Amino acid sequence: MTEYSLSICMPSKRSLEESRASISSAINFCDNTGSELVISDNSGSSDKSKMWNQVHIPFMKYLSNKKNENLLWSDNWYNGMKNCSGSFIGIVSDDDILVNIDKSVLEYKDIKYEDIVGIKPIISLWNSQVGVYKQNNFNINANTAVDRIKQYQDLNKGNNTSYFTFYRSKVIKDIFKLLKYHPTQGGYTDWSIVLSCVASGKVLVDPSKQLIYKNNNWFGDDIYIKKQISKLYVECGLEEKGVLIASLLDALDGFILIMRQNSNIAIDEKIEAAEHVLNSKIKQFINDFNITIQNQFPDVIKNKVDILKVENKIDKKLDICLEIITSLFPSLESKYKKFYKNSTNLEWGNLI
């Protein structure tokens, strides 16, 4: 059985014609680099399934899932990941292009250091109006989890395409396995996923690899971007008012995923990094609350926010965040406690 150092995982929902160029580029990339390609197809397209099932390539697995409107994006992504055998897994969307430019100076199979969690291709953001307009080519190389998170917060400039890093298999699989228990499984969780990966280790750039990210969804004026953000919360059942508590959702998600039981970092380092994310997202919420959204909450929540401003204990901050969230969405209380339990193997608010 072939052992792969890198698996390219392509969750696919587009039609044959819309995804052909991306799948073809991934095949060429994997052929040139000795990597594995796993396509998890949830499009329900019979033409697409027929074509790729007839292409017999030893390094490619084509998983054709019956069209299921209830199958969430995270399920389709994890279905692909759990069929990957590589030491590292790179997610590639089925409209993006992956290119091998030159022989890598990094031998992925020789990367044994557990503190290296990801290898990132140069990620080029492209839009049909302007072509390539931005490059994501920074390393995350600090020695502690909290300092790596701070690095990422400083360097990303609102661009979370590091999501498409080639992450260590056991780390990214563990995180996506936990998303089964996430209260909403909303598409907004990408930021929390990346932060939990960065907490786990360093991310180094491989300049011999390039991912051309077709940014059609997040390119436009402020009004368009706000509509796209709102859409994320509407699609997962939170309606437009989900945007009001977006920072608190990120606070809990980041904290819970960083604190997961199977994390490779020590407990004190986990707590420090998780609390930093919790605090930074709470600060963001309080700022938004004071400037724009406080009139959309009852007075009892205003009192909770005042307490949150001065609270120092982690368990109390978690409680207040959840209380504010459930003032709008009561059903999320039990779901977040279940998510916390499945991630940490602890009861809500416990750290050890």
Side-chain angles (χ1 to χ4, degrees):
M1 182 177 178
T2 304
E3 292 186 7
Y4 296 98
S5 56
L6 174 64
S7 294
I8 299 301
C9 177
M10 183 176 285
S12 185
K13 64 177 181 180
R14 290 177 173 83
S15 69
L16 172 61
E17 289 307 313
E18 290 173 323
S19 61
R20 187 198 295 266
S22 295
I23 293 175
S24 296
S25 80
I27 290 172
N28 186 60
F29 175 92
C30 291
D31 188 29
N32 287 335
T33 60
S35 303
E36 177 184 43
L37 174 61
V38 177
I39 300 168
S40 183
D41 182 17
N42 189 37
S43 68
S45 168
S46 57
D47 290 342
K48 183 178 173 187
S49 177
K50 181 179 179 180
M51 174 177 171
W52 292 115
N53 275 316
Q54 289 176 343
V55 177
H56 300 294
I57 300 175
F59 55 79
M60 183 173 95
K61 297 177 186 176
Y62 181 78
L63 311 172
S64 182
N65 304 310
K66 185 178 179 181
K67 182 68 173 178
N68 182 350
E69 295 297 336
N70 295 319
L71 185 66
L72 296 172
W73 68 273
S74 54
D75 296 326
N76 194 39
W77 287 42
Y78 183 59
N79 181 58
M81 287 183 197
K82 67 184 182 183
N83 282 280
C84 291
S85 60
S87 302
F88 290 82
I89 296 175
I91 297 291
V92 177
S93 296
D94 64 351
D95 64 339
D96 297 335
I97 303 296
L98 189 60
V99 181
N100 181 52
I101 298 172
D102 200 357
K103 180 176 174 57
S104 176
V105 297
L106 300 167
E107 290 291 345
Y108 294 5
K109 68 178 186 302
D110 295 333
I111 300 174
K112 305 300 183 184
Y113 298 104
E114 289 296 318
D115 68 338
I116 298 177
V117 75
I119 306 297
K120 184 170 65 179
I122 293 177
I123 301 174
S124 303
L125 282 75
W126 177 93
N127 183 272
S128 59
Q129 297 181 36
V130 296
V132 173
Y133 65 94
K134 187 180 291 185
Q135 304 272 28
N136 175 347
N137 57 1
F138 56 84
N139 291 310
I140 301 294
N141 53 14
N143 290 322
T144 66
V146 69
D147 285 338
R148 288 190 295 270
I149 287 173
K150 289 177 181 178
Q151 262 191 314
Y152 190 67
Q153 290 173 329
D154 289 341
L155 294 172
N156 69 70
K157 307 301 182 186
N159 161 14
N160 198 38
T161 52
S162 293
Y163 197 34
F164 301 102
T165 294
F166 305 155
Y167 287 112
R168 196 174 289 278
S169 174
K170 61 184 179 182
V171 172
I172 197 67
K173 282 182 179 179
D174 184 48
I175 291 169
F176 267 82
K177 186 176 181 179
L178 289 173
L179 293 185
K180 174 183 178 181
Y181 305 101
H182 187 273
T184 71
Q185 293 181 301
Y188 60 83
T189 55
D190 61 323
W191 285 95
S192 298
I193 291 167
V194 172
L195 288 177
S196 59
C197 286
V198 167
S200 294
K202 299 175 182 178
V203 174
L204 305 180
V205 173
D206 182 350
S208 73
K209 308 290 183 284
Q210 182 180 30
L211 176 70
I212 301 173
Y213 176 78
K214 295 184 181 179
N215 190 18
N216 296 316
N217 292 331
W218 301 101
F219 188 91
D221 58 24
D222 289 344
I223 294 174
Y224 175 77
I225 296 300
K226 286 180 180 179
K227 287 181 178 178
Q228 290 299 95
I229 292 172
S230 179
K231 185 179 177 182
L232 293 175
Y233 297 91
V234 171
E235 288 181 342
C236 69
L238 295 182
E239 308 169 12
E240 292 186 358
K241 64 181 180 180
V243 176
L244 298 175
I245 41 88
S247 297
L248 295 186
L249 294 173
D250 290 344
L252 294 189
D253 291 346
F255 187 92
I256 292 169
L257 289 176
I258 291 169
M259 286 293 294
R260 67 191 186 281
Q261 183 183 25
N262 293 334
S263 171
N264 59 315
I265 57 178
I267 183 62
D268 57 340
E269 196 172 352
K270 278 201 295 189
I271 293 173
E272 182 184 26
E275 186 178 19
H276 171 77
V277 170
L278 182 69
N279 288 340
S280 62
K281 293 299 180 180
I282 287 174
K283 182 179 179 181
Q284 183 178 336
F285 173 77
I286 291 172
N287 184 63
D288 292 341
F289 186 87
N290 289 336
I291 296 173
T292 60
I293 65 175
Q294 63 176 302
N295 291 333
Q296 300 185 59
F297 289 89
D299 288 341
V300 65
I301 296 303
K302 295 177 185 178
N303 294 334
K304 295 289 183 184
V305 173
D306 287 337
I307 297 171
L308 194 58
K309 291 176 182 178
V310 297
E311 181 58 64
N312 291 318
K313 294 183 179 179
I314 293 175
D315 59 340
K316 298 300 182 183
K317 286 186 281 192
L318 291 171
D319 284 342
I320 297 171
C321 288
L322 190 55
E323 287 172 13
I324 296 172
I325 290 169
T326 56
S327 72
L328 297 181
F329 305 102
S331 66
L332 293 186
E333 180 175 3
S334 61
K335 293 178 180 179
Y336 260 107
K337 290 180 177 179
K338 181 179 180 181
F339 183 37
Y340 193 97
K341 174 72 172 179
N342 280 280
S343 177
T344 65
N345 199 32
L346 299 167
E347 296 303 320
W348 175 260
N350 291 346
L351 304 180
I352 54 175

